[in-house]
Amino acid sequence: MTVLKAFLSLNYGFEKLKSIPSNQMNVQYNRTFEIIYAKDGSVLCADEIKEKVNRVIRVITKEEIRQSDVVYINIDRGFDVVIAIIACLQLELAFTSCESNAYMYKTHSNHRKFRTTLVFNGKEVTRIAENENECHEICYVINTSGTSGNTKKQVAVPLGCIKANIEHFCTIFDVTPSDTILFSTSLLFDPSIVELFMAFHVGCRLLITPDIFRSEPHRMQKAIEQFKPTIAQFTPTVFEMLPSPDCLLSSTSSLRILLIGGSHFPLDYINSIRCSGNTTRIFNVYGVTEVSCWASYFEIEIGCEEVLIGKEVMGTTLEVDANNQLILGGPRQCYVNGNKAERHETGDLVGKTKNGELRLVGRMDRMVKHRGVRVCLDQLTELILKQQPTSTQLAYSIHYKNRDIVIFVTGPSTSNDVSSILVPLDNTTFVMVRTIHVESLPINSSGKVDEYELRRICEERFCSVSRRNMVKKLLKEKLGVDLDEVLDQSFVEIGVNSLMAAEISLYFGDDQENVTREILNNTTTIRKVLETFGTSEDPSCFIEEKTDQQVIRVSKKRQPKMKWSVDLGKCIDGNILVIRNDLVVCASHSGVIVAMDPKIGRCLWRTECKVRFECAPILANRRIVIGSKSHGLFFLCLETGKILNVIDLAVRSTCASNENFIFCSTNDGYFHSIDPESFSPIFHHKIEPNGGGTSIGPIIAPDGSVFATTTSGLFSRITNHSNLHVSLQKKMGPIFSEPLFLEDNTVLVTSVNGVLTIISSDTGEEKDSKSLKNENCFCAPLKIGPNKILVATQSGKIIDLDIKPKLRISIIYRFDLPGISFI
């Protein structure tokens, strides 16, 4: 782009933006403006929306609001979250759906300009902070890792920036009140704002899909077929995961407009499924959060051969620096960590066509150096896809531990094993790539490929079979040779060439170069190579520990035969309540509670509460007590299962009980004590200032005090001397498992991120701490001796630790069975 062209485009953007009232976003309450919830088909019409919005405005304005306020909308996805957003727009209040915005930026004052000050949970608003700077021009605040790295950023978006995007899109896509816009994107990902605001701007139908539909694509497809939206927006990964995306591009498709953005546009895939009679206009949209979502658009005509960046969205300029990096200029710059720049470096590499138009080449952070060769992972993926069978649907490459290039491919496969292919980059340069078949590519909340999950899969697959077995399998497949019969020969003697030597060396981690040299040495036996470089798993797959530790492999054994079973309809999340050896009680997601005699399998009673139970029942004064997240605390008769009472408390976790009280924690962040005889509340206290629940219930300590935790990581002690009161609160990592009481008035707390901490139960003082290195822990630790505990991890390990003289890993039990995970 020439300087003159950039200047004219910049001025054009400013002139257009001047016509936009930057402090106002109107919502059109047309007759056609309605919200549909795809989960159950329920509908809110314009009058109902307006009434609910006014009601929310009255609730919010009970608190004195200021121009510096940012409202965190802490509401599950559905009608209410959309209502709350409209209310904030009408009050000209900045809003956020990012919980971490409340506490993420504490160290630098600039980062705190637009932090959360008010929390709205759908029923009440709570002030938690103050901002020094006014937010009158800010529409919403979102947290993102950005496009050029993994460092989290706070992006505050001025209304004028996003409004330019909305008005331009509504014009070029001819959005009218007769349209139905699919609202399927997570509110943690800024394209969701485009879906919402376009519907608000013209007053058309808005079709909401629950968050779970993105990871259950058959339900997303069914919702689209049932409610027939005319405008939809997807990331390539989410679109390609749909069971029948060709139906959306058929001659009878309801879609007028399909926007695909967020990552590399799947042109070949779109061309292969698009019907010649399809009239849907498909656009590749490109942009970044730092300039309020989309910055450009390019229409994909039928038979299109190349995807370009396309035309700028109003108020945006496209520039290229000396390193061929795309730079976004123009007035649509947002506040990033409190600062507003004049231009944004995207981290995307671009090239030019013969006509001077821009096309994306790849990400700068997707350009890796592999064995001295510069490799663009995106271009490599395209090359590999052309070599793969036509049944291959999706592919994604990563650079694993700066050592291996691994490509994940989806599609039919008869094996889950890791294989290797040699890929030519040009006539003289080849790279070895390891391939892993997966059922589907994992996606994160933004609808993009989840690289963290892919790296976890690498750990699992690379360590699931010993190096010796992998070498044995490869020799059998490639040469028809049995490893055990040729151990005293060299690899060269049995026909291994340099290409196969490189493939074998992939199994030996950091020793690859030395292994390759020895494999091609005719005087070195196969036995010697295996003994010299070892045949055990890559030690990096296990927890790093400086002291000696033992790793034990756990193999499959014959399991006892099932003697009896009972169907509770759906998943069972909570433990079974064992009352005596002939009486146990269990509850499930379907709301069914049963009492059984486990010796003979006889059902003593069965009660259908028609709610969702996610916790274990408890026994209090010969009553079964169990909570439901959204339908109250249930009391049932032990002998008959009859429902005696239901208290209106949202209790998702297991309760606790002593002789006098029932203790529970609720989803709004409160701790409660209840009289089990009269069902009357005795005491309640807010233990989570920001609201939010807990996945585990209160625990009664040996001294009679009660400990409660929240998923956000708050650890509280409630003491009962003359009356109940909170005597201790401590902030820790996210907690999803019960604390373990030890001797000397100490308690062991396990956080989800694998950090074990021993603290004083009296003062909260930290006594000892141990990190399990990248292991997630959702299960409570188990004490197996005076100074021994076991911890089970999400990756399928059981870890034996010593408690004294300090926390130390002793033994790691690793399971040889696929899919083992402890949650």
Side-chain angles (χ1 to χ4, degrees):
M1 176 179 288
T2 65
V3 174
L4 177 59
K5 185 179 178 182
F7 176 77
L8 290 175
S9 179
L10 186 66
N11 281 333
Y12 172 81
F14 269 116
E15 290 302 317
K16 290 290 184 181
L17 285 174
K18 286 177 182 177
S19 66
I20 302 170
S22 61
N23 63 343
Q24 188 177 4
M25 180 73 193
N26 292 327
V27 177
Q28 299 297 324
Y29 289 98
N30 304 335
R31 290 183 178 180
T32 53
F33 181 45
E34 60 183 22
I35 307 173
I36 307 168
Y37 191 38
K39 187 175 182 179
D40 56 15
S42 52
V43 179
L44 281 183
C45 68
D47 289 341
E48 292 172 313
I49 296 169
K50 197 168 187 176
E51 179 184 347
K52 286 179 176 291
V53 168
N54 290 334
R55 193 180 307 156
V56 170
I57 288 175
R58 288 194 294 271
V59 172
I60 294 177
T61 52
K62 286 181 181 179
E63 177 74 34
E64 182 184 354
I65 58 176
R66 303 166 185 131
Q67 287 190 325
S68 60
D69 280 329
V70 176
V71 181
Y72 166 45
I73 301 175
N74 184 21
I75 305 174
D76 291 337
R77 189 180 180 92
F79 290 140
D80 290 346
V81 74
V82 178
I83 297 296
I85 289 173
I86 296 174
C88 287
L89 289 174
Q90 293 194 357
L91 289 170
E92 297 181 18
L93 272 175
F95 66 89
T96 182
S97 297
C98 304
E99 182 179 9
S100 57
N101 191 58
Y103 53 83
M104 184 172 161
Y105 304 94
K106 297 180 179 179
T107 57
H108 196 286
S109 59
N110 281 346
H111 296 181
R112 296 163 58 182
K113 283 185 177 180
F114 309 112
R115 64 180 176 177
T116 295
T117 58
L118 300 173
V119 176
F120 177 60
N121 63 7
K123 296 180 179 179
E124 60 181 0
V125 66
T126 306
R127 180 169 295 281
I128 63 171
E130 301 280 353
N131 280 330
E132 297 177 0
N133 301 81
E134 291 187 357
C135 301
H136 64 275
E137 69 169 325
I138 302 303
C139 180
Y140 62 92
V141 180
I142 195 164
N143 295 331
T144 176
S145 61
T147 56
S148 56
N150 293 321
T151 304
K152 284 191 176 294
K153 301 176 183 178
Q154 179 207 61
V155 180
V157 181
L159 180 56
C161 295
I162 186 62
K163 196 169 183 183
N165 193 163
I166 301 305
E167 293 192 341
H168 197 169
F169 272 20
C170 286
T171 299
I172 61 175
F173 301 147
D174 193 23
V175 185
T176 69
S178 62
D179 278 307
T180 299
I181 297 178
L182 178 67
F183 174 39
S184 63
T185 307
S186 166
L187 277 166
L188 301 179
F189 188 35
D190 49 321
S192 61
I193 302 296
V194 174
E195 296 165 357
L196 286 172
F197 283 18
M198 282 199 301
F200 298 164
H201 186 65
V202 301
C204 66
R205 295 179 204 88
L206 184 71
L207 173 63
I208 306 176
T209 58
D211 284 325
I212 192 65
F213 279 25
R214 284 190 299 279
S215 56
E216 295 181 356
H218 64 286
R219 300 179 71 181
M220 181 76 76
Q221 178 99 31
K222 184 177 179 181
I224 295 171
E225 293 173 355
Q226 178 180 355
F227 297 103
K228 301 185 183 305
T230 57
I231 299 174
Q233 175 180 243
F234 295 106
T235 63
T237 307
V238 171
F239 181 78
E240 293 173 10
M241 286 176 63
L242 294 173
S244 304
D246 52 329
C247 294
L248 305 186
L249 299 179
S250 67
S251 58
T252 58
S253 173
S254 66
L255 288 181
R256 283 198 314 105
I257 304 292
L258 173 62
L259 308 180
I260 297 181
S263 55
H264 186 70
F265 189 93
L267 180 61
D268 291 341
Y269 184 67
I270 292 294
N271 285 339
S272 68
I273 65 171
R274 192 176 190 181
C275 170
S276 59
N278 174 248
T279 58
T280 304
R281 296 180 67 192
I282 304 175
F283 291 85
N284 171 49
V285 283
Y286 170 83
V288 294
T289 305
E290 291 85 347
V291 295
S292 74
C293 201
W294 304 127
S296 69
Y297 59 96
F298 175 76
E299 186 163 4
I300 309 294
E301 305 281 358
I302 292 180
C304 178
E305 297 181 352
E306 185 176 29
V307 178
L308 303 177
I309 292 176
K311 299 178 181 178
E312 304 98 327
V313 170
M314 183 172 62
T316 306
T317 63
L318 306 178
E319 306 164 26
V320 181
D321 68 10
N323 298 315
N324 290 325
Q325 178 185 200
L326 182 62
I327 307 295
L328 299 182
R332 288 181 58 216
Q333 303 295 325
C334 302
Y335 291 87
V336 180
N337 292 341
N339 297 310
K340 190 173 185 180
E342 295 182 358
R343 58 210 295 269
H344 177 73
E345 297 180 351
T346 63
D348 287 313
L349 296 174
V350 295
K352 289 188 177 180
T353 65
K354 294 179 180 179
N355 297 328
E357 296 176 292
L358 298 179
R359 57 180 175 80
L360 280 178
V361 174
R363 292 279 309 152
M364 295 180 72
D365 53 12
R366 297 275 290 162
M367 186 73 69
V368 300
K369 191 172 184 179
H370 179 69
R371 302 186 185 281
V373 178
R374 286 283 178 185
V375 179
C376 177
L377 294 177
D378 295 327
Q379 290 181 327
L380 183 68
T381 302
E382 290 186 12
L383 286 173
I384 294 172
L385 273 175
K386 293 177 181 178
Q387 297 182 12
Q388 293 290 310
T390 55
S391 57
T392 297
Q393 296 171 355
L394 301 173
Y396 192 85
S397 300
I398 64 171
H399 200 210
Y400 178 62
K401 293 188 174 180
N402 295 319
R403 187 180 65 210
D404 298 311
I405 293 178
V406 183
I407 184 166
F408 294 82
V409 294
T410 66
S413 174
T414 58
S415 171
N416 284 329
D417 292 339
V418 179
S419 59
S420 302
I421 57 175
L422 201 61
V423 181
L425 298 180
D426 52 43
N427 293 332
T428 60
T429 308
F430 293 77
V431 293
M432 186 69 70
V433 178
R434 305 181 81 168
T435 63
I436 296 179
H437 273 88
V438 289
E439 184 177 344
S440 62
L441 291 176
I443 60 173
N444 56 26
S445 61
S446 299
K448 298 181 181 181
V449 175
D450 188 342
E451 289 198 13
Y452 293 104
E453 177 62 14
L454 294 182
R455 296 182 192 285
R456 188 198 65 77
I457 293 173
C458 284
E459 296 281 356
E460 181 182 279
R461 296 288 178 89
F462 291 169
C463 300
S464 61
V465 184
S466 71
R467 290 171 180 163
R468 180 188 179 102
N469 287 345
M470 295 183 79
V471 172
K472 184 174 183 176
K473 184 172 185 283
L474 186 143
L475 294 181
K476 190 69 175 177
E477 289 179 351
K478 297 291 180 71
L479 302 176
V481 174
D482 189 331
L483 175 65
D484 296 329
E485 296 177 359
V486 295
L487 286 171
D488 294 316
Q489 299 182 48
S490 71
F491 280 101
V492 175
E493 288 177 311
I494 65 172
V496 172
N497 56 25
S498 58
L499 175 59
M500 195 179 299
E503 192 170 352
I504 293 172
S505 71
L506 291 173
Y507 305 141
F508 291 82
D510 293 332
D511 290 322
Q512 287 180 23
E513 292 185 13
N514 294 330
V515 170
T516 303
R517 190 180 303 113
E518 291 303 318
I519 289 175
L520 297 176
N521 186 340
N522 197 29
T523 63
T524 305
T525 66
I526 298 174
R527 189 189 303 277
K528 181 68 173 176
V529 172
L530 297 179
E531 288 177 353
T532 301
F533 296 100
T535 57
S536 63
E537 284 71 18
D538 185 343
S540 64
C541 294
F542 299 111
I543 303 160
E544 297 175 7
E545 185 69 25
K546 293 181 180 179
T547 56
D548 293 336
Q549 61 187 25
Q550 182 182 6
V551 177
I552 296 177
R553 310 295 295 189
V554 181
S555 301
K556 187 175 181 180
K557 297 291 180 70
R558 184 179 295 276
Q559 300 298 308
K561 292 182 179 179
M562 183 182 294
K563 292 186 176 180
W564 58 266
S565 65
V566 60
D567 184 8
L568 269 69
K570 291 185 179 180
C571 300
I572 300 171
D573 277 356
N575 291 333
I576 295 172
L577 170 63
V578 179
I579 299 173
R580 54 179 187 264
N581 65 355
D582 63 348
L583 177 59
V584 299
V585 177
C586 187
S588 79
H589 283 187
S590 64
V592 173
I593 306 177
V594 298
M596 302 291 299
D597 182 341
K599 295 190 294 185
I600 60 175
R602 185 165 67 92
C603 183
L604 305 175
W605 52 259
R606 178 187 183 98
T607 301
E608 297 193 10
C609 299
K610 298 182 180 179
V611 297
R612 178 185 174 100
F613 292 125
E614 299 180 14
C615 59
I618 68 165
L619 182 65
N621 291 13
R622 301 195 64 77
R623 291 169 178 173
I624 302 299
V625 183
I626 184 169
S628 169
K629 180 178 179 180
S630 56
H631 293 85
L633 187 63
F634 285 73
F635 293 80
L636 288 80
C637 175
L638 172 62
E639 287 76 20
T640 65
K642 179 183 177 181
I643 299 175
L644 302 175
N645 204 335
V646 182
I647 299 178
D648 186 18
L649 292 175
V651 181
R652 170 180 152 202
S653 54
T654 303
C655 301
S657 174
N658 59 18
E659 295 179 356
N660 302 313
F661 304 111
I662 294 171
F663 305 107
C664 63
S665 302
T666 50
N667 271 348
D668 56 3
Y670 277 87
F671 171 88
H672 298 261
S673 65
I674 298 163
D675 184 337
E677 291 297 327
S678 64
F679 312 110
S680 302
I682 304 299
F683 169 83
H684 75 281
H685 185 86
K686 194 157 193 175
I687 58 174
E688 172 52 83
N690 298 327
T694 166
S695 57
I696 58 167
I699 307 294
I700 300 175
D703 66 359
S705 59
V706 184
F707 286 84
T709 63
T710 63
T711 53
S712 66
L714 277 176
F715 182 80
S716 304
R717 182 190 189 198
I718 297 90
T719 308
N720 183 14
H721 294 303
S722 58
N723 62 321
L724 290 166
H725 65 282
V726 177
S727 60
L728 167 68
Q729 274 207 318
K730 185 177 179 64
K731 179 69 176 178
M732 308 183 78
I735 302 171
F736 279 70
S737 60
E738 297 175 358
L740 176 66
F741 295 103
L742 307 173
E743 299 173 356
D744 305 324
N745 291 328
T746 58
V747 59
L748 175 68
V749 182
T750 306
S751 67
V752 171
N753 51 19
V755 177
L756 311 180
T757 308
I758 297 177
I759 63 173
S760 166
S761 59
D762 294 325
T763 65
E765 178 188 359
E766 183 175 314
K767 300 293 186 180
D768 195 7
S769 181
K770 180 67 183 175
S771 173
L772 299 183
K773 311 285 188 186
N774 302 318
E775 292 289 342
N776 292 333
C777 298
F778 290 88
C779 302
L782 175 68
K783 194 172 182 182
I784 58 172
N787 297 312
K788 284 278 190 182
I789 62 168
L790 291 181
V791 176
T793 73
Q794 186 184 17
S795 67
K797 301 182 185 77
I798 291 182
I799 303 162
D800 184 324
L801 295 102
D802 297 322
I803 303 174
K804 294 182 178 179
K806 65 176 185 177
L807 282 169
R808 184 184 70 87
I809 296 172
S810 175
I811 303 172
I812 300 171
Y813 297 91
R814 173 92 187 181
F815 287 77
D816 278 331
L817 307 176
I820 290 293
S821 180
F822 298 105
I823 300 180

